Amino acid sequence: MKITHLVVVTGGYPSPAAPTHTPFVKQFAHAVARQGVRCTVVHPVAAHDGVNRKGYPFRTVEPAGDGASVEILRPLFLSLSARASFARFGRLNPGIVTLANFTAAVRRTLKARNLHPDALYGHFLYLAGVAAIKVGNMMRIPAFPGVGEGEFWTVRNFGKARLQQDICHASAFTANSTVLKKMLHSELAIPPSKIGVFPNGIDNTIFHPRDKAQLRQQYGLPQNLFLTVYAGNYLFKKGAVRVAEAIGGLAGVGGIFMGQGPMPPKGDNIVFNARVPHAQVPELLCAADVFVLPTLVEGSSNAIVEAMACGLPVVSSTGAFNDDLLSPDMSIRVDPMNVQAIRDAILTLRDNPGFRARMAEAALKQSRRFDINERARRILDFMTEKIAHVDQ
């Protein structure tokens, strides 16, 4: 049976109130729609946030390109939060009530809209992945959790013992890295045959090389500096502070930082530091010379793939989570905690323009392996295969 209608269940999706929230879910949904598949997104919103319906309208329809569109539905639900510290309460964990209410909102929306899709896709294990499994089991719809959270951080709120109970009715799993597939097998005893690996993808109509000088002028960036660029949350594990330290005091080097968080970068060499709309991300990437992300853990880094597609050499971590994305001809991989190693990699690229140009060309070539339309097609084929296997 070919999938003609997919419902994407997610705890995050761009909205008027939060336009930069999980844009990769939107990109995936749009890519699914461009495959000729009807795509509906169900994004339950906590009632205390969704009181402002202008910020979270119940129903919107977005053009997805190629004549396709995506319908987004945002039902409200009562959230009691789902913090990692709650897991120790066991059956009294308030997160269990939050999960139940989130799940009920998804089911209620499908029934009210008379939707019975061919499959459900839940982005991240909790809350959406498990909610998709539970709703799928109740409505007899195949359900596929999408696993992209490094370290299984969403699982901490509930514990692995509960997760193993919650996922028993999943049809199969999509993981965005080989490392996550191994973790699903080793830590949750999921058979490898039920796990497909699909590294994150990018829309090449959005992320592609552009005129560097023009963009520097547009954003008021210096034309004469070698510019590094960082994109991501300002968290210890992501390493914005380490990038700022690495470029500190380097002559002729400036830093572009896109993000927000509790550990913002500081230093005299920073020439841009702000949270920006997703549409501006490719422009600021293309204004730079090299992308630097000394991250400690990832599922599959969207930011890295986006930078590659803009033709940037990459300085990132030696961690195995990068193995699916990076190759030696377009990246320098370092110990993400070693600020001197990060600095040395930046200097190598600054001082060797020919080497840098070759790496930039290789990065652009490598990025073509991660086209989001091809990723969506492969995931749909994987789902179709697993559904057919169950039906036999």
Side-chain angles (χ1 to χ4, degrees):
M1 179 196 73
K2 184 177 179 180
I3 294 176
T4 60
H5 184 196
L6 179 72
V7 165
V8 174
V9 180
T10 179
Y13 196 88
S15 67
T20 62
H21 194 197
T22 58
F24 44 86
V25 180
K26 176 178 178 177
Q27 292 171 24
F28 172 69
H30 283 213
V32 167
R34 289 194 295 269
Q35 308 309 304
V37 173
R38 179 184 176 189
C39 186
T40 304
V41 174
V42 179
H43 170 208
V45 176
H48 58 269
D49 291 326
V51 168
N52 174 18
R53 270 304 188 184
K54 289 184 178 180
Y56 295 96
F58 173 71
R59 180 180 182 271
T60 54
V61 177
E62 298 172 341
D66 297 340
S69 62
V70 173
E71 179 184 40
I72 300 93
L73 305 173
R74 298 184 180 89
L76 301 183
F77 76 102
L78 179 63
S79 172
L80 302 184
S81 188
R83 301 175 185 175
S85 59
F86 291 167
R88 68 179 186 272
F89 296 130
R91 293 181 180 179
L92 299 179
N93 181 352
I96 296 173
V97 178
T98 299
L99 173 62
N101 292 343
F102 184 100
T103 302
V106 174
R107 188 184 186 200
R108 183 175 67 248
T109 301
L110 295 184
K111 294 187 73 174
R113 308 290 294 187
N114 196 28
L115 300 177
H116 199 281
D118 301 309
L120 299 170
Y121 168 87
H123 193 80
F124 289 155
L125 286 167
Y126 284 107
L127 300 169
V130 168
I133 295 169
K134 291 179 177 294
V135 172
N137 188 45
M138 289 185 280
M139 298 181 66
R140 297 185 179 181
I141 302 170
F144 299 84
V147 185
E149 55 268 51
E151 298 182 301
F152 290 165
W153 56 267
T154 66
V155 179
R156 294 173 187 160
N157 306 337
F158 297 90
K160 290 181 182 176
R162 181 174 184 87
L163 176 65
Q164 287 178 312
Q165 299 175 13
D166 285 340
I167 63 177
C168 62
H169 294 294
S171 300
F173 299 78
T174 69
N176 65 9
S177 73
T178 302
V179 167
L180 284 176
K181 177 175 181 175
K182 291 178 179 177
M183 289 173 62
L184 286 167
H185 176 57
S186 63
E187 298 183 27
L188 301 175
I190 298 170
S193 60
K194 291 187 68 173
I195 310 167
V197 176
F198 308 94
N200 285 341
I202 37 86
D203 186 340
N204 287 302
T205 66
I206 298 174
F207 291 91
H208 55 82
R210 310 181 193 200
D211 186 271
K212 182 182 301 183
Q214 179 182 338
L215 288 167
R216 290 191 179 191
Q217 181 179 10
Q218 178 180 329
Y219 284 93
L221 301 170
Q223 296 285 354
N224 61 335
L225 293 185
F226 178 83
L227 296 184
T228 65
V229 61
Y230 168 99
N233 290 325
Y234 294 162
L235 302 172
F236 176 80
K237 67 179 181 180
K238 292 286 189 178
V241 169
R242 295 189 291 280
V243 177
E245 291 176 358
I247 66 173
L250 290 182
V253 176
I256 298 171
F257 291 84
M258 294 182 278
Q260 65 174 0
M263 297 186 69
K266 298 177 182 179
D268 294 338
N269 285 28
I270 296 175
V271 298
F272 184 95
N273 181 6
R275 181 184 183 184
V276 301
H278 194 249
Q280 293 180 10
V281 172
E283 296 178 343
L284 285 160
L285 287 172
C286 289
D289 297 290
V290 59
F291 179 78
V292 187
L293 184 71
T295 177
L296 301 182
V297 64
E298 294 286 336
S300 174
S301 173
N302 285 281
I304 286 178
V305 181
E306 291 169 354
M308 290 161 49
C310 291
L312 291 184
V314 174
V315 175
S316 192
S317 309
T318 52
F321 48 80
N322 273 335
D323 289 351
D324 293 327
L325 303 181
L326 301 178
S327 60
D329 61 344
M330 47 69 61
S331 65
I332 299 177
R333 297 174 67 174
V334 299
D335 176 352
M337 290 300 296
N338 189 331
V339 172
Q340 186 60 51
I342 299 168
R343 178 188 292 247
D344 290 343
I346 292 169
L347 288 173
T348 295
L349 289 163
R350 183 198 69 178
D351 298 339
N352 295 275
F355 175 61
R356 185 171 74 245
R358 290 191 297 273
M359 290 191 77
E361 184 178 352
L364 184 59
K365 182 178 179 181
Q366 176 86 334
S367 74
R368 297 188 181 115
R369 296 178 48 216
F370 304 104
D371 177 80
I372 197 166
N373 294 304
E374 178 63 14
R375 180 177 189 263
R377 184 193 65 77
R378 290 177 57 230
I379 289 176
L380 291 168
D381 287 348
F382 173 78
M383 291 178 176
T384 299
E385 175 190 340
K386 296 306 174 186
I387 294 171
H389 179 74
V390 171
D391 290 342
Q392 288 177 356

